[in-house]
Amino acid sequence: MFNLYFSINTFDIILIGILITLFLILTGLTVGFYMRPVRIYRKKENSGLITQDVPPVSVIVYAKNESVNLQKHLPFLLHQQYPTYEVIVINDGSTDESEDVLSLLESQYQNLYHTFIPQESRYLSRKKLALTVGIKAAKHDILMFIEANCKPISPNWLIQMVQPYLRKGKETEIVLGFCAYRKATGLFHKLVSYDNLLTGMQYLSAALGGHPFKGNGRNLSYRKDLFFKNKGFSSSLKLHAGDDDLFINTYAKGSNTQVEYAPESVTEMEVIDRFAVWQEMKVSRAATQHHYRSGSLFLYRFEAFLYFLFIVSTLFALSMAITGNFLLPVVSLGVYVVYYLVKGIVFNKSAKLLQQKKMGFSLPLLDILLYSFNVYVRIYRLFRGKNDYTFRVSGKKR
């Protein structure tokens, strides 16, 4: 009976070999690449903060119909433990009470300023126009970017985010930070949270390895001089999006980019209340990724392809149980469980470091759902690609 259930042939050996090979590569990527932020942070965890002679900073906040969030989050920005800084809010044609909220707060805080982008402005990426106005208005060379639906989790956010400039001097032109997704219950929020964590681990780890490829405008810093010497967003004005990730992809190098993800440097965004909003965010990111430097996304697409093969091979091996052969199902299930044990440990350690909610036992389900949704986003973009652009002439994209 044992021989019947656990007999092995050449086909079994080949399939087991494929499964183990995929397991080793994927596990190697998980431990070697995704664990990098945790490993490096542990080495420098006890390094002290530099608090003397810190440079003045301009914090730029983009807002559109965010009166509630402005009222809730601006106090966190305006009470930072930092000697000299200003907060500039760009109100992008809001039709809610944002202007009233900003005027009231401006009368209470001397370091708060705001400007307004008229609703009538057209044929440009409104967000890039708004950010450019804010950058021109900034008094200081070091710029810090955050959005109205986000807040720093610590009053030491600014002092923590400027540390790379102090350690590396003028050589540092860009600092990448992390924005956590606020803890919330429900499968949808778990999926958004996992996607946010995965993306953050990717760009932080890549930058730590000397190959920066993107950043997040909810927690990002660069020098004003870098912006103007490269003519701002001129290289991507035809796209609605790309003010953060595409700008960083274009101008970030291993020699001029640092990362800061100590717990006090993390910001936190409000939860996304509708699936359609998240879908639009994902589609927008997919549009800018099309314009990244060649090879920027090779590792992640290669990983996605290997993961697809791993899941298909595992499912096929499990299906062999119906033939009475239990060797393949037992081996494949064991490999699958070990892979997710390793991945769970790595991702939960990273989530703890980055102030993000842990995934727990839902990680395998989240992987499948996110992989499927990313495929859907790619297909969806094929039917709405023209909407990625700011304007068209004679029916053609510009």
Side-chain angles (χ1 to χ4, degrees):
M1 183 66 68
F2 180 86
N3 290 336
L4 176 62
Y5 290 155
F6 292 95
S7 60
I8 187 168
N9 55 40
T10 303
F11 175 79
D12 296 337
I13 294 173
I14 293 174
L15 187 53
I16 290 173
I18 292 173
L19 275 169
I20 292 177
T21 300
L22 293 170
F23 163 79
L24 291 174
I25 297 174
L26 289 171
T27 304
L29 280 172
T30 300
V31 175
F33 181 78
Y34 288 106
M35 191 69 172
R36 183 182 288 159
V38 174
R39 285 199 308 269
I40 293 178
Y41 178 75
R42 285 174 177 170
K43 293 179 181 178
K44 65 176 185 177
E45 186 174 3
N46 295 321
S47 59
L49 282 175
I50 302 172
T51 59
Q52 300 298 318
D53 300 321
V54 293
V57 173
S58 295
V59 180
I60 297 177
V61 185
Y62 173 79
K64 183 176 180 65
N65 293 326
E66 295 277 10
S67 59
V68 174
N69 283 326
L70 286 170
Q71 198 164 16
K72 186 193 305 184
H73 296 152
L74 274 181
F76 288 89
L77 289 174
L78 295 164
H79 290 95
Q80 287 290 300
Q81 301 297 314
Y82 201 85
T84 305
Y85 73 101
E86 62 179 355
V87 176
I88 303 171
V89 180
I90 309 97
N91 185 12
D92 182 10
S94 297
T95 56
D96 62 1
E97 298 176 349
S98 294
E99 191 68 18
D100 295 334
V101 170
L102 289 169
S103 296
L104 177 62
L105 289 171
E106 203 170 58
S107 67
Q108 299 173 5
Y109 296 93
Q110 294 184 348
N111 62 334
L112 174 63
Y113 310 92
H114 83 279
T115 187
F116 185 86
I117 304 298
Q119 184 65 39
E120 292 77 22
S121 299
R122 299 178 180 178
Y123 309 122
L124 286 170
S125 167
R126 291 185 57 84
K127 187 174 181 182
K128 290 173 185 172
L129 173 62
L131 291 175
T132 300
V133 169
I135 292 170
K136 286 184 176 180
K139 298 176 183 177
H140 310 305
D141 181 49
I142 293 182
L143 309 174
M144 207 73 64
F145 296 89
I146 191 172
E147 296 188 0
N149 65 340
C150 306
K151 67 175 183 181
I153 65 172
S154 166
N156 293 318
W157 170 61
L158 276 181
I159 193 70
Q160 192 73 60
M161 282 294 291
V162 301
Q163 294 301 300
Y165 292 110
L166 304 176
R167 296 181 190 127
K168 296 292 181 178
K170 295 181 180 180
E171 181 180 325
T172 300
E173 295 182 294
I174 297 170
V175 177
L176 308 179
F178 179 76
C179 179
Y181 186 76
R182 186 163 69 81
K183 295 178 176 64
T185 58
L187 181 60
F188 170 67
H189 294 299
K190 280 189 175 183
L191 185 60
V192 177
S193 178
Y194 175 54
D195 180 51
N196 183 68
L197 176 65
L198 177 63
T199 302
M201 290 170 67
Q202 287 175 346
Y203 73 74
L204 291 175
S205 186
L208 287 168
H211 303 284
F213 75 97
K214 70 176 292 184
N216 189 324
R218 297 186 183 94
N219 196 2
L220 174 66
S221 177
Y222 50 79
R223 293 187 182 274
K224 187 176 181 179
D225 180 63
L226 174 75
F227 182 82
F228 285 115
K229 77 181 181 182
N230 290 294
K231 299 180 180 179
F233 301 119
S234 60
S235 63
S236 63
L237 279 180
K238 65 181 180 179
L239 291 168
H240 283 296
D243 54 275
D244 51 2
D245 64 330
L246 190 53
F247 181 83
I248 297 303
N249 186 267
T250 304
Y251 302 115
K253 299 173 290 185
S255 59
N256 75 343
T257 304
Q258 305 296 325
V259 299
E260 185 58 57
Y261 55 94
E264 290 192 319
S265 74
V266 175
T267 59
E268 181 182 76
M269 68 176 289
E270 289 292 330
V271 297
I272 299 171
D273 58 358
R274 291 184 294 124
F275 176 81
V277 174
W278 186 51
Q279 173 178 284
E280 187 59 31
M281 290 168 60
K282 293 283 289 181
V283 171
S284 178
R285 290 298 187 195
T288 56
Q289 287 175 0
H290 182 68
H291 299 271
Y292 282 8
R293 294 191 306 258
S294 177
S296 295
L297 300 175
F298 172 78
L299 176 64
Y300 316 108
R301 289 173 175 169
F302 178 63
E303 180 192 17
F305 174 69
L306 292 181
Y307 178 74
F308 172 76
L309 293 180
F310 180 66
I311 293 300
V312 169
S313 300
T314 300
L315 291 174
F316 181 79
L318 289 173
S319 71
M320 296 301 291
I322 63 176
T323 67
N325 181 352
F326 291 99
L327 177 64
L328 282 176
V330 168
V331 172
S332 64
L333 186 61
V335 169
Y336 181 84
V337 169
V338 173
Y339 169 66
Y340 271 105
L341 283 175
V342 174
K343 188 169 186 177
I345 291 171
V346 171
F347 275 63
N348 284 322
K349 285 181 180 293
S350 299
K352 182 179 179 181
L353 173 62
L354 298 173
Q355 311 301 299
Q356 182 105 27
K357 186 177 181 180
K358 296 180 180 180
M359 283 71 61
F361 295 105
S362 61
L363 183 56
L365 174 62
L366 295 175
D367 258 342
I368 293 291
L369 291 176
L370 185 59
Y371 183 92
S372 302
F373 185 62
N374 286 337
V375 172
Y376 162 77
V377 166
R378 284 179 168 276
I379 296 173
Y380 179 77
R381 268 208 70 242
L382 296 176
F383 299 95
R384 54 139 298 159
K386 63 183 181 182
N387 296 325
D388 299 331
Y389 295 82
T390 54
F391 63 94
R392 290 174 290 164
V393 176
S394 303
K396 295 182 180 180
K397 292 180 288 187
R398 289 283 300 274

